[in-house]
Amino acid sequence: MSVIQELSRGKQAGAARKKGDGRWALLFLAPWFVGLALITAGPMGASLWLSFTDYDLLSAPEWVGLENYTRMFDDPRFLTSLGVTFTYVFVSVPLQLAAALGLALLLDKGMRGLALYRSVYYLPSLLGGSVAIAILWRQIFGADGLVNQVLALVGIQGQGWVSHPDYALGTLMALNVWTFGAPMVIFLAGLRQIPQMYYEAASIDGASRWRQFRSITVPLLTPIIFFNLVLQLIEAFQSFTRAFVVSGGNGGPSDSTLLYTLYLYLKGFGSLDMGYASAMAWFLLLIIGGMTVVNFLASKYWVFYDD
Amino acid sequence: MRPSSDTAPRPGSRATGGTGGTGPAGRRPAAVRPRGRRARARVGSVLKHVGLIAFGFVMLYPLLWMLASSFKPNALIFREPGLIPTDIDLSNYTDGWNALLHPFSHYLINSALVVLGSLLGNLLSCSLAAYAFARLEFRGKRLWFAIMLMSIMLPIHVVIVPQYVLFSQLEWINTFLPLIVPKLLATDAFFIFLMVQFFRGIPRELDEAATLDGCNHLRIYLQIMLPLSMPALATTAIFTFIWTWNDFFSQLIFLTRPEMYTVPIALRTFVDSTGESSWGSLFAMSIVSLIPVFIAFLFGQKYLVKGIATTGIK
């Protein structure tokens, strides 16, 4: 069962054996409780408070109320980064999931070489978040990069993709699509869980393969599609390394790759505007949380739970 | 896996006609010309394999090309889209190794230390917490469990500023402690979840028998759960390894002195200091940085695939 299913039906979980191992629980959970207090919950509260202050790390935080939040919407760079991030997320994630689903459907069970194909397609997902791959991307889509060398073979004169404001973000999206392997593996696992007998029954009834796909595969796969969608959206909103490395750390050219977290980093740790960065972080949490809630609400209309 | 030789109809494949006498009516003229249909299915299968192999090749081409280019002189990197280096040249590796303030081995060791600490931390603290959630009854369990699940989704950016303040007051900046101590405190809750799932699958009869024999929870955890949970521990280890090795954001923030740089930070500095002038050695060091992940991938594939398939995070 996935995190998301667990969360959405948490109410039923947990056996009702009221014996009480309170002391043992305290012992086993001690590290986690300390971590929750000092590393997660405490800092969360602190950053909420800092988001209402002006704080540069050197002098004490100064209360400014909602100013950081109102400043955000007068800040053209912030609005740019918001736009860049939304474009990046809402274009690349659907493409990535479409690729993942398409390939998972092509690789049916029992097929020869399935494990090998799965490995080959999955490898980019493991490496995709690294600095090394971001460096590679910067070269590949550079003026004299691999892409243009290949284009030159067929007589097309390419340009510096990463240095052109219209295309730089596209190269980052391509990187995100390239890492479709992880959701593909999840789709494959989901496909394997559909009982073979459904298909057998359907072919006895004379259903065509297309009809079987539409009436069996797709509905039974919707929980997995939903799961992948929620997960990849959340993850894409937090993309950082690729934008940082490909743009040389500034989100250029002309802020075209200024992803949200990159701008947050530049504000907080570049110009030490920590109050503003905290406000941005909380606004990000609001976006991600809001989007996830909307996803859950909308899921009632299209996600089909078998049991 | 070459599809060329014999692509016999696969068992369970729904495309090949004539298997069993199940489809009486509705099936199109399958029964009329089984031979032609089987041949077509075989051609289709070969085409599909050709397509899948070609696509896989295109997917991996950038990686292969980076590997090939790391052996080429710079001038050729800008001209040769092919994979075969005309003459193998190791100077990119020797140049890259010594291009920064410290030899590259220094950064590899730093990364290894961070990874080691994180591994230890995650394996220990997450399995302890998971045992409590899977096997113990205590007040507020559901609430704590829900909090744990939600913390998986929390973006690091929401806590990074206060964490930075906290760690700088402890004078931990430019040490590995900000990267390792949180793992000792089970903040990578994803692994708690993964292990809870696994522990739940271990028959309760085992711990009940142990309890009758006078074992307390600590011994059940140490002598029954952990030995039986090797697959879950292996999955945790391998994901921790890869995530920590690739991690950039927190290392960028907490490590600013060159002698403390880990591999990703060193690579990033390398890009900045050389710009576009030495792709060869940049590629060479990138390859070096990817080798540990690649090895983990080769040997841990089974656990990686299982880990993603059961809990759904890459």
Side-chain angles (χ1 to χ4, degrees), chain A residues 184-194 224, chain B residues 305 308-310:
Chain A
M184 181 198 74
V185 170
I186 301 174
F187 278 132
L188 281 171
L191 283 170
R192 193 165 310 159
Q193 273 166 9
I194 301 178
I224 314 283
Chain B
V305 167
I308 315 167
T310 52

Side-chain angles (χ1 to χ4, degrees), chain B residues 24-57:
Chain B
R27 286 199 154 192
R28 285 173 304 175
V32 183
R33 285 184 312 172
R35 194 167 288 261
R37 185 136 181 196
R38 197 171 305 157
R40 238 186 306 147
R42 182 177 298 184
V43 171
S45 162
V46 170
L47 280 179
K48 186 162 122 179
H49 279 283
V50 169
L52 288 172
I53 289 171
F55 184 68
F57 185 67

Side-chain angles (χ1 to χ4, degrees), chain A residues 52-71:
Chain A
F52 298 111
T53 67
D54 191 7
Y55 182 46
D56 62 359
L57 210 58
L58 307 169
S59 45
E62 189 185 326
W63 184 266
V64 294
L66 282 172
E67 197 189 293
N68 285 324
Y69 291 92
T70 50
R71 242 172 81 204

